[in-house]
């Protein structure tokens, strides 16, 4: 007979059920020992959640043979270390109940209340939905978790505790899963822990992932670090003794702790800078915790008097905190025997935030007047996820945006009013504009950095003062997507471009369908009311569209042929008794020249059409040119010059996709075209040619001189912005009068054989 947990006797050896119960009871007892900060009522609620989870997971085992309930208890124990509230601990105990045990969210609401059920639901993966790939499943699951996290940060804290315990027990998992789970931990969960300021968890996740991703490298580095630790023991003791003596002379109370670089950070530094282990000099460091803010700078002065500081290695994260709320003074000093040693100086409150980040909200209650804990801890980033979510309906796209923001190697820049903004390294003026406000980003046209005019794609550096210049009529440019770095800017630009493209294509589609219907003898598009509503329903069933707006957008984007839809609509209208007007048919077809029935009604262009109309880059038509329109599949209307070789090939292949277009009497903007100028090479030639173009009131948008070595006569290709053919003729005349210009002509694309 053997004693059980409660002291009674049981048969020996115990059966599996008894062993499982003993293990679970013992582990829950360990959890209870960490709940001394909670009241009796809260502890009783946690006990009820434990019993529910224990019953739900009954019979389930971990890979190492332990009862499954030991995992939720370990997750809850980690959350208790962060002093999370009772609701979070209850959710931690039941975090796998919906996913693995068939428990419903409604059941959790009824037994434990809506807040706990919402936490558990936010943690639940979308296993029961079918996705096209594992990557999409992962993206959709992560999307759900992040959105829940943005509403309640406890979700990600529980998730990080869950992932930490899974990584600690990874050795029990099949080796074929090590790579995937460790990579996911390193790429996703460790950066989130860092972003939220959970530095201890961040470092542990990195080292655990490194251990299972690269076992051999981990083992070699671990042995090297142990040897180095033994060699440096005397040095560390001497530094500690000298520093404590210096602070004792200045009567400044300080708590001193040693700090060792993690194996993964050592490996990453060796890998990125191609160093040997012996060349990594900042493996060891010290952290000094002082009573208050002023003492931080006093302590820094004491250290700099004791040891010489290394130039360029001082960082003040107290005055300018990191994005995740981290505050500390960092300085690297030259210690005994010429060894570089990093010191971090901070207050107790800063130390709690530095190690526990967002969890410090529970660990340490800030009592300073006007303290904004949530903002200081970087939870603005969490809230920004909701903004991105509203504009990004594709899970993979949302995932891309978030991954951009998870690596916040930040630069700190200033507005003209001295407000500090933290942006990812590599962020540009456009990122800065969107960080201030979406409307500022949408209307940005120019910027000044430190008082100097700079391009919008300019990357920002620490300390830059950035002034954004806006225009009420300006709109985001699609080319911005090629250089913006923040997920917020990228999602805002994409959302705007999609919205504008849809609006413009809908407007163009309505015009095209209306003109096609006139060619069938119907004067105007029918409304959606009464009998006409039934007509539209039948037409939508015919085309396969969900709404009238979607159908018109498809026509505008070239996914539907307006003439075919118009014929079908005319037939449906005829069924309601509406007869076509024979005179209108004759007038429209004669005016449009539709002898073969291929061309649709005329579309008038003035340059304000936006993204639904593109001007072909092969021939770059300008007002005054004879033009044709091609309805590319999904591209909207593409306008070519009538004699363009590309347009001729397309007409031979897809004649039914062409429609007649014409220029408006007064276009609202200038258009780009290409001019080739042959010059006699010499000093100042390019400047004289550019001056001649400017004298004709044309803007140069691009210059290409080719890659060939300079010759006696050289062709220079200019993209110039002109109003019409007459304006282009003025530019060419101005060029031909310029000294050194041999020939000037408009570029025309050659027909391909």
């Amino acid at each position: 007979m053997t004693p059980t947990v409660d002291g009674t006797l049981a048969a020996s050896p115990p059966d599996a059920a008894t062993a499982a119960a003993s293990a679970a009871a013992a582990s829950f007892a360990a959890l209870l020992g960490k709940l001394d900060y909670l009241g009796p009522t809260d502890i009783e609620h946690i006990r009820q959640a434990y019993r529910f989870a224990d019953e739900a997971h009954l019979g389930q085992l971990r890979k190492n043979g332990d009862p499954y309930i030991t995992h939720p208890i370990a997750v809850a124990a980690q959350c208790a270390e962060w002093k999370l509230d009772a609701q979070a601990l209850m959710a931690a105990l039941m975090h796998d109940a919906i996913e693995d045990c068939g428990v419903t969210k409604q059941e959790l609401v009824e037994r434990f209340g809506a807040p706990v059920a919402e936490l558990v639901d936010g943690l639940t993966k979308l296993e029961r939905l079918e996705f096209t790939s594992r990557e999409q499943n992962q993206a959709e699951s992560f999307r759900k978790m992040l959105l829940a996290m943005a509403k309640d940060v406890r979700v990600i804290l529980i998730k990080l505790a869950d992932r930490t315990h899974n990584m600690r027990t990874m050795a029990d998992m099949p080796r074929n899963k090590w790579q995937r789970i460790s990579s996911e931990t390193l790429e996703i969960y460790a950066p989130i822990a860092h972003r939220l300021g959970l530095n201890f968890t961040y470092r542990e996740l990195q080292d655990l992932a490194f251990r299972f991703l690269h076992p051999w490298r981990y083992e070699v580095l671990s042995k090297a670090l142990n040897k180095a630790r033994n060699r440096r023991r005397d040095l560390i003791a001497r530094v500690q003794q000298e520093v404590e003596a210096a602070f004792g002379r200045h009567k400044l109370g300080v708590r001193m702790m040693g700090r060792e670089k993690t194996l993964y950070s050592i490996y990453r530094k060796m890998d990125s800078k191609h160093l040997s282990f012996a060349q990594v000099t900042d493996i060891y460091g010290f952290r000094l915790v002082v009573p208050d803010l002023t003492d931080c700078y006093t302590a820094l002065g004491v250290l700099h008097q004791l040891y010489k500081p290394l130039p360029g290695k001082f960082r003040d994260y107290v005055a300018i905190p990191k994005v995740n709320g981290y505050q500390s003074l960092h300085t690297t000093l030259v210690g005994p025997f010429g060894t570089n040693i990093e010191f971090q100086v901070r207050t107790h409150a800063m130390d709690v935030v530095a190690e526990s980040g967002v969890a410090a909200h529970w660990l340490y209650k800030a009592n300073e007047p006007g303290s904004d804990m949530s903002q200081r801890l970087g939870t603005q980033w969490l809230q920004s996820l909701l903004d991105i979510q509203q504009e990004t309906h594709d899970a993979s796209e949302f995932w891309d945006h978030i991954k951009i923001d998870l690596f916040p190697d930040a630069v700190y820049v200033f507005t003209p009013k001295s407000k500090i903004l933290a942006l990812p390294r590599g962020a540009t003026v456009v990122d800065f504009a969107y960080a201030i406000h979406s409307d500022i980003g949408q209307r940005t046209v120019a910027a000044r950095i430190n008082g100097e005019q700079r391009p919008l794609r300019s990357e920002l550096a620490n300390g830059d003062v950035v002034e954004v210049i806006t225009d009420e009529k300006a709109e985001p440019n699609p080319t911005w997507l090629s250089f913006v770095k923040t997920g917020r800017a990228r999602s805002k630009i994409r959302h705007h471009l999609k919205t504008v493209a849809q609006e413009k294509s809908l407007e163009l589609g309505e015009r095209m369908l209306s003109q096609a219907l006139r060619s069938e003898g119907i004067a105007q598009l029918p409304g959606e009311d009464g009998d006409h509503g039934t007509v539209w329903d039948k037409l939508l069933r015919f085309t396969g569209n969900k709404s009238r707006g979607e159908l018109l957008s498809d026509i505008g984007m070239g996914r539907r042929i307006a003439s075919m839809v118009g014929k079908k609509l005319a037939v449906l209208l005829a069924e309601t008794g509406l007869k076509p007007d024979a005179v209108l048919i004759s007038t429209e077809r004669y005016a449009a020249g539709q002898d073969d029935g291929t061309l649709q009604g005329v579309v008038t262009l003035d340059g304000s059409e936006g993204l639904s109309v593109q001007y072909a880059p092969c021939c770059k038509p300008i007002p005054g040119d004879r033009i044709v329109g091609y309805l590319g599949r999904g591209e909207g209307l593409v306008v070519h010059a009538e004699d363009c070789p590309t347009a001729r090939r397309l007409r031979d292949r897809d004649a039914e996709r062409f429609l007649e277009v014409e220029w408006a009497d007064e276009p609202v903007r200038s258009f780009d075209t290409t001019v080739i100028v042959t010059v006699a090479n010499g000093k100042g030639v390019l400047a004289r040619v550019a001056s001649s173009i400017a004298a004709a009131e044309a803007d140069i948008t691009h210059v290409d001189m080719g890659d060939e070595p300079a010759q006696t006569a050289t062709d220079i290709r200019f993209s110039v912005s002109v109003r019409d053919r007459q304006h282009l003729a003025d530019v060419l005349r101005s060029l031909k009068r310029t000294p050194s210009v041999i020939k000037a002509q408009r570029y025309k694309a050659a027909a391909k054989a």
Side-chain angles (χ1 to χ4, degrees), residues 22 119 187 266 292 331 417 445 461 511 540 542 555 597 734:
S22 299
L119 287 173
E187 293 173 8
I266 293 171
D292 56 46
T331 185
K417 294 184 179 179
V445 292
R511 285 163 58 192
L540 293 176
F542 169 74
I555 293 172
S734 178

Side-chain angles (χ1 to χ4, degrees), residues 404-638:
I404 289 168
D405 278 355
L406 284 181
F407 300 91
D409 189 8
V411 293
Y412 297 89
V413 295
F414 298 85
T415 68
K417 294 184 179 179
S418 298
K419 179 184 175 182
I420 299 174
L421 289 179
L423 295 167
R425 189 165 301 281
T428 64
V429 171
V430 175
D431 294 298
F432 173 86
Y434 276 102
I436 297 173
H437 197 280
S438 299
D439 288 344
I440 301 293
Q442 308 285 56
R443 292 175 170 77
T444 296
V445 292
R448 282 189 280 269
I449 300 177
N450 303 324
E452 295 182 0
Q453 193 88 17
R454 297 290 297 279
L456 293 181
R457 67 186 307 125
S458 300
E459 291 189 5
L460 303 178
N462 273 323
D464 281 346
V465 179
V466 187
E467 180 185 355
V468 174
I469 300 163
T470 60
D471 186 330
E472 285 298 317
K473 296 180 180 178
E475 291 185 343
N477 190 319
T479 59
W480 291 357
L481 290 171
S482 65
F483 59 76
V484 292
K485 288 292 187 291
T486 59
R488 176 182 174 82
R490 190 173 297 277
S491 68
K492 292 283 183 186
I493 295 166
R494 281 180 173 165
H495 176 68
H496 178 85
L497 294 176
K498 287 177 182 176
T499 303
V500 170
Q502 186 170 4
E503 289 173 357
K504 295 293 185 181
S505 61
L506 190 150
E507 182 182 325
L508 176 63
E510 187 169 5
R511 285 163 58 192
M512 291 169 61
L513 183 56
S514 180
Q515 289 165 345
L517 201 57
R518 287 176 64 85
S519 297
E520 301 300 325
I522 310 294
Q524 60 185 16
L525 279 179
E528 293 184 87
D529 53 339
D531 291 340
H532 291 158
T534 305
V535 169
W536 280 108
D537 288 342
K538 290 180 179 178
L539 183 63
L540 293 176
R541 282 197 295 273
F542 169 74
T543 61
N545 292 98
K546 296 177 182 176
S547 66
R548 180 177 184 268
E550 184 184 279
L551 171 59
L552 295 177
S553 291
D554 277 0
I555 293 172
M557 292 298 291
R559 299 189 188 104
R560 297 275 185 273
I561 302 298
S563 59
M564 296 178 182
V565 177
K567 289 180 187 299
K568 180 64 177 178
L569 182 54
V571 170
L572 293 173
L573 289 171
E575 291 174 0
T576 66
L578 182 62
K579 295 182 180 180
D581 184 338
V583 176
L584 184 60
I585 293 175
S586 301
T587 304
E588 287 295 314
R589 294 191 176 179
Y590 175 78
Q594 288 182 288
D595 297 329
D596 59 359
T598 56
L599 282 175
Q600 301 168 30
V602 179
V603 176
T604 304
L605 306 171
D606 64 2
S608 65
E609 300 81 15
L611 298 174
S612 63
V613 175
Q614 301 176 45
Y615 293 88
C618 51
C619 53
K620 294 186 178 179
I622 59 175
D625 289 341
R626 294 177 64 85
I627 51 177
V628 292
Y630 173 69
L631 276 170
R633 291 173 173 81
E635 301 170 349
L637 182 61
V638 182

Side-chain angles (χ1 to χ4, degrees), residues 306-350:
L306 180 64
Y307 301 128
K308 294 295 182 187
L310 208 60
K313 290 293 185 178
F314 170 67
R315 296 287 183 272
D316 188 343
Y317 295 118
V318 172
I320 306 177
K322 289 187 177 183
V323 179
N324 57 19
Y326 176 90
Q327 287 185 291
S328 188
L329 297 177
H330 289 197
T331 185
T332 302
L333 308 178
V334 182
F337 315 117
T339 306
N340 295 340
I341 305 170
E342 185 187 59
F343 286 84
Q344 300 172 354
V345 185
R346 60 181 70 147
T347 66
H348 172 68
M350 292 174 192

